[in-house]
Amino acid sequence: MSQEIEPLKSLEAVLSWQPSSTTELARSSIELSRSFSRRGDAPKTLVCHDMKGGYRNDRFVAGCDEDGYRFYHWQYLDMFVYFSHNLVTIPPPCWTNAAHTHGVQVLGTFITEWNDGKKICSEFLQSSRDYRGLANKMVEIMKYYGFDGWLINIENVIEEDKVSHLREFVAYLTQRCHSEVMGSKVIWYDSVTRSGELKWQDQLNEENKMFFDACDGIFLNYNWDESKLQNSYNMADSKRVHDVFVGVDVFGRGCPGGGGYNSCEAMMKIRQANLSAAIFAQGWVYETQGVENFTRNEDRFWQLLHDYCSTPTFTSPLLCTSFCQGEGQKYFCKGKVVKDHPWYNLSLQQLQPTFNLQGQRSDVKSLEFTASDGYLGGGCLLLRGKVEKEALWFNLFQLDAPVSTALYVSITSKWEPDNIQPILKLTLSKGDNSRVLYLEEEEGGEAGRKQLKTKDVYVRVKTNIEKVSIRPHEEDTRVYNSQNMNKWKTRCFRVEETQVCGWTLQAVSVGISARDKELNSVCLYLGQIQILTKPPSNPSSGVQKLTCSHLNQEEDDSGGDHSYSLQWQDAGCSYHVQYYNVYQMAADTVLVGQSLPPSCVLSLSRSHDSELCVQTVMTDGSVVPLTDCPSCSLPC
């Protein structure tokens, strides 16, 4: 048995919805990150995720042991809408968790369609009491599950005497969302007109502006042309032009450019009109281009859109990621394979690079995600290329993060051949001055000739650019490498307060240098990067009061799996918990589940000799050793 999240398919189901023990596990666990800064005056990008009716393998709250569609180009998005053709679409928590990690808002969908939709609208638009009751319940649902607003999609005729109530419903819902969840959004889909007619306008005009004025934005239908873009721009108040989201159907269907990889043509026209974009069904890549080549095709699709999407900057100097995309063919923990079959759980997705792909791939180098190896999660970054006279560089994170304390930085990697080494580069600024920190194994390598020596730091000043080479800190490095497996090596560096305090961290890059100075083929697996404000240590378990109970006492002893409810409490340790691994420990130790909240439902074969053990994975990338984790017996 696995906990699943489901849509609400009827008005009765929405109005009678109440929190319960069965809904508790389906709540998102990660709040919207405030560590990303986006230009307020730039056009926005919304993605509307409509894939095969929705609620595929993403419906499993604790993930599943199969492949599934993943999204990881969050740096291009402002909003993510989870869409299905059900009355109320509640986003699965894995999508909300992954999006929130990257500072992206998530919207659910309220949709009515055709004759059944007309009946539903007629019912809830009878009076202000009715539509306010529905709006209040929708706000309650949004707040409970932890997402950030609604797409309102009315695709049926509205009785003319109820159109004013529909507008008031949208306005009231928007006001209530704003009052309950800071920054929440309500977006109207271009379908019904001011007369109640179902007639897509493909532009903002007098026919649909009353709904646009009642909420936070409008999602225009896809069959527009450049004159309609100009009309939309003219119709919107100058302060609200970026609240007009012009539809781009990746499946084509009358959209300029024809969709697919040519969606960039529609995006170019939209940006030339200085309007926002709503990309519909971006899963086209996964659905039509072959799952086996998904990563390469997905990267191609978004690289074509790069010039038309503004990217955020990361505003916190605290940065920890193993680059896991929330699925894998194996699950790795400290480099060791602890699950040797496919898994899918987007809630476990780690922070993805914020730099665009432009410049990261060329004839001499490439950067891509690989599931063939990993340090923590389902894979890692694979950096390959040719090293000539200078190091081969890859940009990973774009930041604007003021630093006020010393930094404890680490890089975990493995490489081929042996005569290369990774370099972690931190670029900082202060006014017109720049400082580049090279965190590297060898003395004075990338920073240049040693002109000034102060302990482990070598400095060379050239105009207003200061270059500093910092050696690994042996004690911290030993703490990490004592737990690493399969040739993964961690190098830890202590960057003194005098080196960074008062400066602003602007970029994090990784380089590959070669002792022989020229190699035609090098390969670096990048497993984890950490930038912390305190030194690493061995964490204690974040779990206490672990209990396990039968979920269904009527299950027989036929040898099939049994359903168990596992619960525990967060011990309130000084480290923040990222998620928990659950192991069944008998003759072999097997990873049987993973959870963000301190509870989960498991379907397991019953063994009188086995125990369940809960392991804590911290947000700083540290993992509690299994020998220090609490366990409990399976009930008989």
Side-chain angles (χ1 to χ4, degrees), residues 296-328:
R296 179 136 312 198
N297 290 331
E298 180 80 344
D299 289 348
R300 175 190 173 192
F301 178 84
W302 285 98
Q303 187 166 352
L304 289 167
L305 298 186
H306 161 73
D307 289 342
Y308 312 113
C309 298
S310 61
T311 55
T313 54
F314 196 65
T315 59
S316 170
L318 296 174
L319 191 157
C320 303
T321 181
S322 66
F323 306 103
C324 175
Q325 293 185 353
E327 75 152 13

Side-chain angles (χ1 to χ4, degrees), residues 105-229:
Q105 293 182 303
V106 176
L107 276 59
T109 304
F110 178 84
I111 183 172
T112 61
E113 298 177 287
W114 315 121
N115 289 332
D116 288 343
K118 182 179 178 181
K119 294 177 182 177
I120 290 172
C121 289
S122 180
E123 185 174 347
F124 82 81
L125 295 175
Q126 285 285 346
S127 67
S128 61
R129 178 180 178 180
D130 292 316
Y131 68 70
R132 288 189 174 209
L134 173 60
N136 289 335
K137 186 60 71 172
M138 289 172 63
V139 171
E140 184 181 350
I141 292 169
M142 174 192 70
K143 192 173 180 181
Y144 179 83
Y145 285 105
F147 57 98
D148 309 291
W150 295 97
L151 171 68
I152 307 300
N153 187 357
I154 307 296
E155 296 204 58
N156 49 258
V157 173
I158 298 294
E159 298 165 77
E160 191 169 355
D161 63 343
K162 291 185 172 61
V163 173
S164 61
H165 279 180
L166 178 58
R167 187 224 175 263
E168 290 163 12
F169 163 70
V170 174
Y172 180 75
L173 175 64
T174 303
Q175 178 266 317
R176 291 283 294 117
C177 285
H178 290 177
S179 66
E180 292 295 327
V181 177
M182 182 179 68
S184 56
K185 303 292 184 184
V186 174
I187 306 295
W188 172 262
Y189 179 62
D190 160 34
S191 49
V192 170
T193 67
R194 59 183 175 178
S195 65
E197 184 180 8
L198 178 60
K199 188 174 183 181
W200 299 268
Q201 300 298 299
D202 307 303
Q203 62 183 313
L204 178 63
N205 59 20
E206 291 292 350
E207 294 299 316
N208 54 28
K209 190 172 184 294
M210 63 183 286
F211 300 107
F212 173 72
D213 291 339
C215 64
D216 298 302
I218 188 169
F219 181 152
L220 298 181
N221 193 47
Y222 319 100
N223 304 134
W224 44 267
D225 55 31
E226 292 178 55
S227 65
K228 290 183 177 180
L229 295 183

Side-chain angles (χ1 to χ4, degrees), residues 43-47 76-78 222 224 226 229 244-250 255-280 282 301-310:
K44 303 180 185 72
T45 303
L46 174 155
V47 151
Y76 296 124
L77 302 194
D78 297 274
Y222 319 100
W224 44 267
E226 292 178 55
L229 295 183
V244 179
F245 293 84
V246 183
V248 178
D249 187 349
V250 183
C255 184
Y261 295 117
N262 206 36
S263 297
C264 55
E265 181 178 325
M267 289 291 288
M268 177 184 67
K269 295 180 184 297
I270 292 167
R271 296 314 195 209
Q272 287 173 344
N274 194 24
L275 297 172
S276 292
I279 300 171
F280 182 78
Q282 83 298 338
F301 178 84
W302 285 98
Q303 187 166 352
L304 289 167
L305 298 186
H306 161 73
D307 289 342
Y308 312 113
C309 298
S310 61

Side-chain angles (χ1 to χ4, degrees), residues 19-38:
S20 67
S21 58
T22 59
T23 63
E24 185 69 25
L25 292 179
R27 304 172 71 179
S28 63
S29 303
I30 299 177
E31 295 184 358
L32 181 66
S33 173
R34 305 295 177 183
S35 296
F36 291 86
S37 175
R38 289 173 168 82

Side-chain angles (χ1 to χ4, degrees), residues 538-557:
N538 288 320
S540 58
S541 177
V543 173
Q544 62 183 12
K545 297 184 179 180
L546 176 64
T547 61
C548 182
S549 59
H550 241 129
L551 198 61
N552 187 349
Q553 296 291 349
E554 297 179 359
E555 290 170 321
D556 57 34
D557 295 319

Side-chain angles (χ1 to χ4, degrees), residues 399-430:
L399 302 95
D400 187 18
V403 183
S404 59
T405 184
L407 298 177
Y408 300 85
V409 185
S410 70
I411 176 172
T412 301
S413 57
K414 60 168 69 173
W415 54 83
E416 298 173 3
D418 290 337
N419 59 337
I420 66 173
Q421 69 153 325
I423 309 170
L424 190 60
K425 179 170 71 173
L426 308 183
T427 303
L428 302 104
S429 67
K430 181 193 290 185

